[in-house]
Each structure stands twice: as C-alpha cells, then as structure tokens.
Amino acid sequence: MTDIAVTLADKRGTLPAEDKLGFGKIFTDHMFAMDYVEGKGWHNARIVPYGDYDISPAAMVLHYGQAIFEGMKAFRTEDNRIVMYRPMDHLKRFNNSADILTIPRMDIDVVHAGLRQLVELEKHWVPKALGTSLYIRPFVISIDPYVGVKVAEQYTLFIILSPVGAYYASGFKPVKIKVEEHFARAVKGGLGEAKTPANYAASLKASEVAKEEGYTQVLWLDAIEKKYIEEVGTMNIFFKINDEIITPELDGSILNGITRRSVLQVAKSWGMKATERRISIAEVYEAHAKGQLQEVFGSGTAAVISPVGELSWKGKKITINNNQIGETSQKLFDYITGLQQGRVADKFGWVEEVAKL
Ligand SMILES: *Cc1c(COP(=O)(O)O)cnc(C)c1O
C-alpha cells in the first residue's frame, strides 16, 4: 500500500446552508492528487489543500483533450455514518475510460484508499438534508507541455469534492426530452463508452438548441441510422412497456452507467422483467400508440431516477403516463436513495462505510 502524504489546509471552510448548495459550485478544503510520468508510473499519491493548480499553457489536455473523469457520491445516513455508493465500480469504470483514452491504468486500490482518506478528512462537508450528498469528482488530465498530437507521457489525477443540494429541490418531477435527429454525440468505435470531456463537448450544441425549444435534455439516437435509442445527455434511459423495463444494450457508444446497473439488478430482484436490448424510437412510439408505453425514465448518479413526461421526435409529441411520475420510477427512486442514505438494508453490498460522526 502506497503511503499518502497529507498536507493540511491552513484555513477550513464551512458547509453553507443546505438549501443553498446547488450543484458543483462549492468545494471542500482538500483534494487528492497523484502523478504519472512515463517510466516511473503512478506515484506521489497525496492529499493537499484544495486550490488552483499550475499547468503549462502547452499542457496537452488543453489542446487535444486527453482526459477522463468519474462522478460518484458520498452520503450522510440518518444514524450519522458517512457512506459511499459503489465506489469500486466507479473506479473500475475509471480504468476502462483510461484504456479507451490511452491513459495509463491506475492501481485503483491506491485511488480507493486515497478517496477514503479524503472523504474521512472532509466528513464534516457531507450535508445531511434529504437528497443532499457529497459529489465526488475524480479526473485525469494529460499535462506534458507539448503542442503536437501524440499520446501524453505525463498525467495528473485529482479527486475533488463538492457538497451538493437535493437534485429535486422543487420536487421529483417528470421532464421533457427532445429526441435528437440532427446532431450526433458518439458512434460505435468512438468514445461513447468512456467518461471523457469530449463527449460533453460534442453534446453542448444539441442541448442548447433543445433548451431554446423548451426541453430539458436530448435523447440521442444511434449516429448512423438515427433509429436506435442510445441515452440521454448525462443519463441512461429506460422504457417500461407491458410491465417490462427495457434499456438499450451496451454497444460501445453509450456509457455503462452504474445507476443503470443498479436499476437492472433491483428491478430483477423484485421479479420484474428487465431487459438490455436494441430498441428503436419507432418501437417506443408504436408502444405508445397501442397504449403499452407505461413509463420512461433516465438513470444517473446526479438525479438517480429522472421520470420523463414528454418525448418529442420529428415534431411529434407524446405524453407519458399523463405527465405523472410512474409507479416503477418512484419505487426505484425510493429504493436506491434509501440504500444510499441507509434507510434500506444493503443486500447488494453497494454501500461502503467510510466514517462515523
Ligand atoms: C455518467 C454518465 C451517465 C450515468 O452514469 P452513472 O454511473 O449512472 O452516473 C450516463 N451517460 C453519460 C454520458 C455519462 O457521462
């Protein structure tokens, strides 16, 4: 086990009022960092005060985008324990993203140990109001000062922490989604299965246009035929048709969501039919026409479950479940957030205790 050097911050901040947290704007006092240099490997695991960080204006990440990230959460349970949700699954995916972006794999046991130590140090930053959490953002950037396209030889890994407010501050509500016909985010053989900034850069234009038209996000179709459903901006997508929940299979162009996995496993444990397969937007519209489309919902770490109340495809709008939260969406939301906040027994082994307060 690598020793993690700790440099404490001189001044400590305080957690703002829990109804004023928002998302991703406030950061804790410390961060974790680790360096990689070709020939030496990953080294210098450390916890240091959170703050600005010097990189060269020629740092490769700024020019060629070789970078990856993760997003997971820690929670404060009602009995005042600090827990993380499926951290090792997130770190395994981090290494999968590293492979896709030709970033050297990390020893995730070291990253995990660093993460635990960081969250324990910052435990007073974990908010406790219902729906709030400590958002954990690990990321790796390529830092060689070199303007020329190649695989970098130097990287820095960071983990920063941000206390975040309830995603559904104004209530758990269905959203309106535009089915994207024009823009493409990712294609099989591309970067879609990696959690990498490039996928977000590729999605901004489409989401701006959709927002101007009054939608919350876009639903991506496969980039080639614009027929098969992929995922929503930052979430995987599920359709409940004839009491079966269906989500697009992992085909290399969509993200292997941890919440998606949780939903599939939880639904199956309830005896529901939960299927991963190719599904076209035409099939969804047909099911709606036949009265068989019962629910649509997104899944992701930030929102957990996001019910969809309206879809618009080629100008044709359909309303799902009378724009009401579906029974399965609500049940999954309650169950998964219950697991995360320690109200539901963790029979899957997804919740990892970090500290007691
Ligand atoms: C992070 C992410 C998701 C959701 O994954 P979770 O592990 O459930 O948070 C879905 N799609 C994309 C593009 C993402 O970046």
Side-chain angles (χ1 to χ4, degrees), residues 69-349:
F69 66 96
E70 263 305 320
M72 61 178 123
K73 282 175 172 174
F75 301 87
R76 181 159 165 177
T77 64
E78 271 160 26
D79 56 351
N80 287 318
R81 292 175 302 123
I82 304 297
V83 300
M84 296 193 286
Y85 187 67
R86 306 190 74 166
M88 280 311 264
D89 291 320
H90 281 276
L91 293 178
K92 282 179 198 153
R93 185 175 66 188
F94 202 24
N95 257 344
N96 188 50
S97 297
D99 285 342
I100 297 171
L101 272 292
T102 59
I103 288 171
R105 291 178 79 87
M106 300 146 271
D107 180 340
I108 56 174
D109 290 330
V110 172
V111 181
H112 182 233
L115 172 60
R116 284 186 62 96
Q117 203 172 325
L118 179 66
V119 171
E120 163 138 49
L121 177 65
E122 306 289 59
K123 62 189 176 193
H124 55 286
W125 279 99
V126 185
K128 67 174 171 214
L130 191 65
T132 64
S133 60
L134 184 71
Y135 186 75
I136 300 168
R137 169 52 59 87
F139 62 104
V140 176
I141 55 172
S142 49
I143 58 163
D144 314 30
Y146 178 69
V147 176
V149 178
K150 62 164 190 149
V151 173
E153 295 176 3
Q154 294 171 45
Y155 301 85
T156 305
L157 176 153
F158 295 92
I159 303 175
I160 58 175
L161 306 176
S162 174
V164 298
Y167 191 88
Y168 292 108
S170 54
F172 186 43
K173 271 199 306 246
V175 294
K176 282 164 103 177
I177 301 274
K178 176 188 173 186
V179 182
E180 183 55 53
E181 303 156 57
H182 175 68
F183 298 104
R185 182 194 86 107
V187 66
K188 227 180 267 193
L191 300 177
E193 207 181 270
K195 225 169 161 68
T196 181
N199 288 329
Y200 285 88
S203 73
L204 293 175
K205 184 79 185 177
S207 49
E208 276 309 289
V209 173
K211 273 179 198 149
E212 276 163 29
E213 296 169 357
Y215 298 96
T216 314
Q217 283 202 16
V218 304
L219 175 60
W220 297 102
L221 299 178
D222 78 274
I224 296 166
E225 296 182 81
K226 296 275 196 292
K227 237 167 114 176
Y228 298 101
I229 292 165
E230 302 231 305
E231 61 178 318
V232 186
T234 56
M235 290 187 287
N236 294 107
I237 187 91
F238 286 83
F239 301 89
K240 184 178 169 194
I241 300 174
N242 283 333
D243 294 329
E244 173 185 6
I245 62 168
I246 303 163
T247 192
E249 64 193 355
L250 301 174
D251 66 349
S253 62
I254 67 174
L255 197 85
N256 185 350
I258 308 293
T259 320
R260 174 185 181 278
R261 272 186 242 170
S262 299
V263 165
L264 288 167
Q265 267 181 274
V266 168
K268 282 179 192 164
S269 79
W270 290 339
M272 278 188 84
K273 204 167 165 203
T275 312
E276 299 169 75
R277 67 164 168 90
R278 207 153 80 143
I279 178 167
S280 69
I281 185 68
E283 179 183 341
V284 169
Y285 268 61
E286 236 169 80
H288 179 264
K290 290 190 205 145
Q292 296 168 344
L293 178 66
Q294 298 156 303
E295 293 181 41
V296 179
F297 59 90
S299 72
T301 294
V304 185
I305 298 293
S306 178
V308 176
E310 184 183 306
L311 283 176
S312 173
W313 175 44
K314 294 184 173 164
K316 212 179 137 204
K317 291 182 182 166
I318 57 173
T319 302
I320 296 124
N321 194 33
N322 276 323
N323 205 23
Q324 301 297 308
I325 299 159
E327 177 198 337
T328 303
S329 308
Q330 184 74 57
K331 227 175 118 186
L332 284 164
F333 180 79
D334 292 343
Y335 189 87
I336 296 172
T337 55
L339 272 176
Q340 293 172 332
Q341 293 154 4
R343 291 187 304 274
V344 169
D346 177 27
K347 67 171 181 180
F348 298 98

